[in-house]
Amino acid sequence: MLRADGHGPLNRTERVFAQLGQRLSATSDAETAASIIMEAADELLGWDACYVILYDPQQGGKPHPLLASDIVEGERITLLNVAPEQPSPNMLRAIAEDGFIKLSNAPVNLDPAFTFGDAGRRADSGMFVPVRSGDRVIGVLSIQQYVPGAYSQDSLLTLKALANHCGGALERIWAQEKLSRMAERRAILYNAAKTISASLNMEQLHEAIYNAVKQVMPCDDFIFDGYDESVNEIVALYVVESPNVRVYPPRYYADHGLSGTIIHIGRPQMFNSRAELDASGIRFEFTGDKEQDQTQSLLAAPMLLHGKVKGIISAQSHQTNAYSNDDLELLEMLASHAAIAIENARLFTELQKVADNDPLTDLLYNRRKFYELAEREFARALRYPEPLSVTMLDVDHFKNFNDRFGHKVGDMMLRMIAEKCGECIRDVDIMGRHGGEEFVILFPATGLAQAVQVVERLRQMIEEADLEPMQSFYESVTGQRTTPQALRTTVSVGAAELDTSCASLDVLIDHADRAMYFAKSDGRNCVRTWPRAEGS
């Protein structure tokens, strides 16, 4: 190969550098580029072990492995994905000192996290130099030999020249790969956003957001918190701890903790070490033992909607330097989608509640929704089979009550009875307003005797209810005096259990209705069952 100026052939170093530039310009693959650089270093200086690792100290984060090679059991092997979770002391020293030679005249005890290849051997000579593109450090190149005194200051200058010669090409390739990876992650996020936007079920929505975060960034622990502005409290919506265990933290006041901090500053946060977390000044909330917490890196982004913070999303890693600015950008994008999706789901839930709930009591299902849910339980009880009970409740002399105290007080009475029903039943039980002053409760997987116990307790609670608020309302509206005893109201209750005579849900409810009329005929304010017991 001749010089470009025509002044004779190139020397070995110039030839290697010229070929290096040509070969690097012809590739866009980072591992191939690293292999070309390592071959050039071997031809010029020789090595037994070598690595090229990309790392930008300005951006921080985890070093990005390109390629490493070592002699293991007498054979040179290539190692992929070799990089520490954080920059090694040798990497940091190479950047700080603009390269250095390391000799074996002093004992070296390397942390296993910073070794590769044959960890049982220690190189007797080594050089570590930064890879620069212009004034910017983008990585570290190191070559090492298992013989002492292999390298000199001239060797170090040659390796630095080699590293700088390839810096521009490596930066171009790294940028291309970063763009490609970012495009892949954005595609994942785009597909996740479509799933999230299509979901109107809150639980499914929370899970979809969690899965999206796991796909695009490290996520050992995950926090998805909402913000209840009315009481200034943080509400855990979906929290997962390693190893993929759902946890349910209690509410806490939004004057502290990660979520409280994000809510009030309205900005994302990124920490990449325990030292940074400790120095943040945030009084973190811990779902378990603080001393056992393994979090080393943390990302958190606010969910903003119409200029208000609605909650936060946080991904957390047990490794240091787990996150970059790219990760933060992706989390902010996801948080923005999540805020809109959650608002849509909330509005849908509210509309569904209006459509399904009794407008007067708000706690009870309306007749249509009650029958929809009750039919499912009826079919389930037939399929397995399992017990199923229904009770009908009617307010005694309610027309007379309304005539005497007015419909406003009558409505208060119905709401009070609905509240007492809610206090007595389980989450799985279904209660509805059947019409007027009639209430119906369906008890899945419950026999008649158990159902009777519940409604007998309910009957007593209604009879003994505190009616002073109702008395005060009546007196303030009418100017007339009354007493809690005058307002005292009772209920008659009928109960029935699914049996072979119940060809449909309507038959079962009719049995409970008939039992309720047994209670009416027996003097009211009591519980009766179908079929009517002997002698009752």
Side-chain angles (χ1 to χ4, degrees), residues 61-113:
K62 178 181 176 181
H64 179 68
L66 284 187
L67 206 60
S69 182
D70 194 8
I71 295 176
V72 178
E73 297 180 354
E75 182 180 353
R76 178 177 284 185
I77 63 169
T78 299
L79 306 163
L80 301 176
N81 298 318
V82 173
E85 294 295 329
Q86 56 186 319
S88 70
N90 286 336
M91 290 177 62
L92 295 176
R93 182 181 170 188
I95 294 169
E97 298 181 11
D98 194 29
F100 70 96
I101 298 175
K102 191 167 189 177
L103 303 176
S104 62
N105 53 7
V108 178
N109 295 316
L110 284 178
D111 185 328

Side-chain angles (χ1 to χ4, degrees), residues 5 28 59 118 133-134 148 157 179 218 301 352-353 375 397 413 441 459 474 482 487:
D5 59 9
S28 59
Q59 291 189 1
D118 189 349
S133 177
L157 291 175
L179 285 174
Q352 197 170 42
K353 184 177 179 182
E375 288 285 4
H397 303 298
M413 179 62 73
I441 307 175
R459 182 198 64 77
Y474 173 76
T482 189
L487 290 163

Side-chain angles (χ1 to χ4, degrees), residues 338-396:
I340 296 170
I342 286 174
E343 180 66 7
N344 290 341
R346 184 189 66 79
L347 292 173
F348 176 78
T349 301
E350 287 186 0
L351 288 173
Q352 197 170 42
K353 184 177 179 182
V354 169
D356 294 342
N357 284 23
D358 170 54
L360 174 63
T361 63
D362 193 48
L363 297 173
L364 307 176
Y365 288 120
N366 57 30
R367 184 186 179 104
R368 175 194 60 78
K369 187 63 176 180
F370 171 81
Y371 271 90
E372 176 188 326
L373 298 176
E375 288 285 4
R376 294 180 193 170
E377 294 299 332
F378 184 82
R380 188 200 309 273
L382 292 178
R383 185 166 61 247
Y384 285 116
E386 59 186 21
L388 181 71
S389 297
V390 172
T391 61
M392 290 287 290
L393 178 154
D394 185 82
V395 183
D396 296 328

